[in-house]
Amino acid sequence: MSTQPGTEQHEYSFSTMEAKWPAVWEELDVFAPADDGSRERRYVLDMFPYPSGDLHMGHAEAFAMGDVVARYWRLKGYDVLHPIGWDSFGLPAENAAIKRNAHPSEWTYANIDTQAASFKRYAISADWSRRLHTSDPGYYRWTQWLFLRFYERGLAYRKNSPVNWCPKDLTVLANEQVVNGACERCGTPVTKKSLNQWYFKITEYADRLLDDMDELKGHWPERVLAMQRNWIGRSEGAHVRFTVEEAAGRPAKDVTVFTTRPDTLHGATFFVVAADAHLALDLVTPEQHDALMDYREKIKALSDIERQSTEREKTGVFLGRYAVNPLNGEKLPVWAADYVLADYGTGAIMAVPAHDQRDLDFAQAFDLPVRAVVDTGEEDPAVSGVATSGEGKLINSGELDGLSKTEAIARAIELVEAAGTGEKTVNFRLRDWLLSRQRFWGAPIPIVHCDECGEVPVPDDQLPVRLPDDLRGEALSPKGTSPLAAAADWVNTDCPNCGKAARRDTDTMDTFVDSSWYYLRFASPDYTEGPFEKEAAARWLPVDQYVGGVEHAILHLLYSRFFTKVLKDMGLIDFDEPFRALLNQGQVLNGGKAMSKSLGNGVDLSEQLDKFGVDAVRLTMIFASPPEDDVDWADVSPSGSAKFLARAWRLGQDVASAPGTEYDGGDRALRSVIHRTVADAADLLDAGKFNVVIAKLMELVNATRKAIDAGPGAADPAVREATEAVAIILSLFAPYTAEDLWAQLGHEPSVVKAAWPAVDESLLVQETVTAVVQVAGKVRDRLEVPADVSEDELEKLALASPQVIRTLEGREVRKVIVRAPKLVNIVPA
RNA sequence: GCCCCCGUAGUCCAAUGGCAGAGACAACCGACUUAAAAUCGGUCCAGUGUGGGUUCGAGUCCCACCGGGGGUACCA
């Protein structure tokens, strides 16, 4: 075994490499973009981490993926922005602070330091000079600034309404943070509470959030798009006004319903309003008032989980009044029930039990009439108890009779529009984004409440509204009101408008507000004149490749898309979508299950790094499966990866030609493999098939080994060319080993400065290829033919094959399909 | 219930509609070794969940079903 001059190491040792290279990278500053316009720019971003403890296996996977892209693009000659930061506001820091009688910032920044050190060890090729933390005043100043811009545009507003309340964390939750009726964070069943809260009017952007997904198609995972589509929940239908007749001294009142089935108007047999909506109180007659109040109390006591169960018997209470069907004048009894939601549509429905299962269940519970108006050919719902919602001809519907469902929907809309009692409309499932939180460790909402002037925005030049430093430990424990309310010095302030005594808003913003714009801040992280420098953002954004977990498919990604659209409307940016392409890495499992403390199946990242080395762990993560698939740590072999890395590294020990050797005279067969591998690897990387790139790289290493041991030998120029290609491709996955290999080959200063190898097309073409000859789709012969064989020639050769003639047994040839030079299929009669 | 994704060797995974196997793990055999480890070389292993269809040709496209995973769920 020969050793290159200047290389002292003889055995592969990951710990030696890990000790050596970080200082070199830092010294060379290789990961910061030049940003001088000399090269095309690319922006690759990993979803920034929350600083809870040290990095774990999930981070290791996600960041390995993003780093492959960043390093590949750099080698390809792009000017790459690959920044890193922390989503450092949030509840865990606050809970830790309470436990340790400390300030949340202590825990937060200590964890950030730990994670930053781990990221550096993990060799993430990030531009550390752009590092940001959302809990820094220099950052949240601009979160507040953006809130005020939203406020000015009427996109941030306060309203009193029942909200999701976590009785353990003692804070409100956005709809998106309620999972199966329980708090996303702690699992406690969520209850409803009526509070005056801040909202962002994301519903105003529902159409654009939906329509602009067209430009994401093919670049975002289909399932993420599907989830967003469902979440936005666009539904076409009609608003129809019913007049609730005057009764028991209560005046008549028009009530609008939303329906997707105006064709079934004649099938409406009763009318339901959401029991918890104010409308129910408006409508109820004095005689029924007590019954309604009892019912409201009863449903308030139910948890969300119970309330949402579709198994549950339908309940409700008659309100003592009747609504008039605008199409046929029929009087429908008005009920209040909890199966109608106050905050969807208008909070009132026309009930068509024959064609809606929920209405039918209710009708059967209270003995209300059922009238089918669409003949679907199925059994009468009144008898079967199964509502029919399919296609069919209209019956029992006056002038709609005989029409198809689709025709009847259009005609019914025309009728109510002509009568002035309704119109075609679109309804969305999406609700406004509840953003205020009664917790401490977040960006304070920059509003002052003044007895004289009402809500007064804090002037821009007084931003940031800083969190007080003196609240710590017990003072932060949840009380149902924001801990900030207890900081008298902080709360009491002068009204920016009239100068009189006033109070600060004591809520803080949902941390999803912080993360809805951080990708923009990275373009100019130290900018002090605005959230980001317009020109810098125009240069770098949108993000070309975003990498992160599918758990953010709705929340973070929808909010960020919303922010981007608002910022565009403000004229600060000129694109509609923040993330051009999205890669969702899978989870890291162990033994088929997500790692968790309760299962005791956790795998500690730092232990794995100590045992196998950074490169082996990174390589294992990438090689295990396609990026979007889960990796089961029990199924993979970091020791196998380490073995491969050592094998690749040893090539460098054997290369016996000098740096700068011309490749031209090298072994042709090996050179073909090299250039094929480089070309394939580029295609595979562009397609995101990182795991396959590693397989190709293994082939190249194997071929090179063979060339050294049993082929042209270690001094052949092709062996050097191959080993250099190995080092370059390997640098995407295993930066330490690649650097060491590159250095062994006599190169300086870093493989990061290398270029992706150019492909010599002439080496890709083969002189002869194996053509497959099929008879009736079955392989019967193989022919060595010139690569440029003509279709006619190949057909002749195939038909002349003794194997073919034997198989045909004299049968007529009906057809011959020729795909020169690879395949001939002969179809006998 | 509705929507989305996935079923290929013992395992993880490859395969522009064209020879089912690129790569790896595990297992086994051999070389090296006093022995073991490491290393090197080799061997073994499925006809692609099931049933139809389209096609000269289907793992790949279409339909239905089965199984697994995920999302969502009284959204009118």
Side-chain angles (χ1 to χ4, degrees), chain A residues 5 66 241 293 378 741 787 789 805:
Chain A
R241 269 180 295 287
M293 294 315 281
E378 294 158 277
L741 181 52
V789 69
I805 292 164

Side-chain angles (χ1 to χ4, degrees), chain A residues 482-792:
Chain A
S482 172
L484 285 171
D489 289 353
W490 185 86
V491 171
N492 294 312
T493 185
D494 298 334
C495 172
N497 201 26
C498 68
K500 292 193 182 135
R503 297 169 54 80
R504 292 193 187 281
D505 197 296
T506 57
D507 285 349
T508 51
M509 290 187 234
D510 180 2
T511 55
F512 278 108
V513 181
D514 308 328
S515 55
S516 291
W517 70 280
Y518 79 105
Y519 48 90
L520 287 156
R521 183 73 181 166
F522 278 131
S524 50
D526 302 318
Y527 191 58
T528 54
E529 307 302 312
F532 51 87
E533 191 195 346
K534 229 174 134 175
E535 296 72 29
R539 285 200 300 277
W540 287 110
L541 283 120
V543 173
D544 294 289
Q545 180 67 63
Y546 200 30
V547 180
V550 73
E551 65 273 17
H552 291 113
I554 301 172
L555 295 158
H556 164 60
L557 291 171
L558 192 67
Y559 294 154
S560 296
R561 296 182 58 223
F562 164 57
F563 259 60
T564 298
K565 291 174 200 312
V566 176
L567 292 171
K568 188 189 180 197
D569 290 351
M570 286 167 58
L572 291 175
I573 52 179
D574 64 358
F575 49 89
D576 293 285
E577 288 292 335
F579 312 121
R580 256 193 201 121
L582 174 67
L583 173 64
N584 282 143
Q585 86 282 1
Q587 285 190 79
V588 186
L589 312 175
N590 190 20
K593 299 220 163 54
M595 295 183 196
S596 80
K597 272 198 186 120
S598 59
L599 287 171
N601 68 339
V603 175
D604 185 73
L605 174 61
S606 65
E607 276 174 27
Q608 298 294 309
L609 297 179
D610 291 345
K611 194 164 166 195
F612 301 107
V614 167
D615 283 355
V617 169
R618 288 176 58 136
L619 191 78
T620 304
M621 288 287 186
I622 306 287
F623 183 51
S625 62
E628 58 276 12
D629 284 11
D630 290 344
V631 175
D632 193 329
W633 206 246
D635 288 337
V636 297
S637 172
S639 61
S641 299
K643 224 158 84 178
F644 166 73
L645 290 170
R647 203 170 137 77
W649 181 86
R650 277 195 307 272
L651 293 177
Q653 302 263 302
D654 287 2
V655 171
S657 56
T661 300
E662 290 292 328
Y663 304 139
D664 285 349
D667 181 66
R668 160 95 194 187
L670 180 57
R671 296 201 71 206
S672 280
V673 176
I674 298 164
H675 287 257
R676 178 85 270 156
T677 303
V678 170
D680 286 352
D683 290 345
L684 290 163
L685 286 161
D686 291 335
K689 297 181 179 181
F690 305 157
N691 55 325
V692 188
V693 176
I694 294 174
K696 295 281 177 206
L697 184 59
M698 287 172 167
E699 279 183 79
L700 179 57
V701 169
N702 291 343
T704 311
R705 180 83 262 159
K706 215 165 247 175
I708 293 170
D709 293 346
D716 190 282
V719 167
R720 164 165 285 276
E721 185 183 15
T723 308
E724 292 185 340
V726 167
I728 291 170
I729 300 173
L730 189 63
S731 75
L732 311 185
F733 313 102
Y736 291 107
T737 307
E739 286 288 15
D740 234 59
L741 181 52
W742 193 243
Q744 279 191 72
L745 291 168
H747 294 298
E748 295 203 304
S750 164
V751 72
V752 180
K753 298 275 191 190
W756 187 258
V759 174
D760 181 345
E761 299 285 338
S762 71
L763 287 165
L764 301 182
V765 298
Q766 291 168 284
E767 285 170 13
T768 64
V769 293
T770 306
V772 171
V773 184
Q774 300 176 328
V775 177
K778 286 208 168 110
V779 180
R780 297 299 180 184
D781 201 3
R782 287 156 220 271
L783 304 170
E784 275 301 308
V785 297
D788 58 353
V789 69
S790 73
E791 305 231 319
D792 287 348

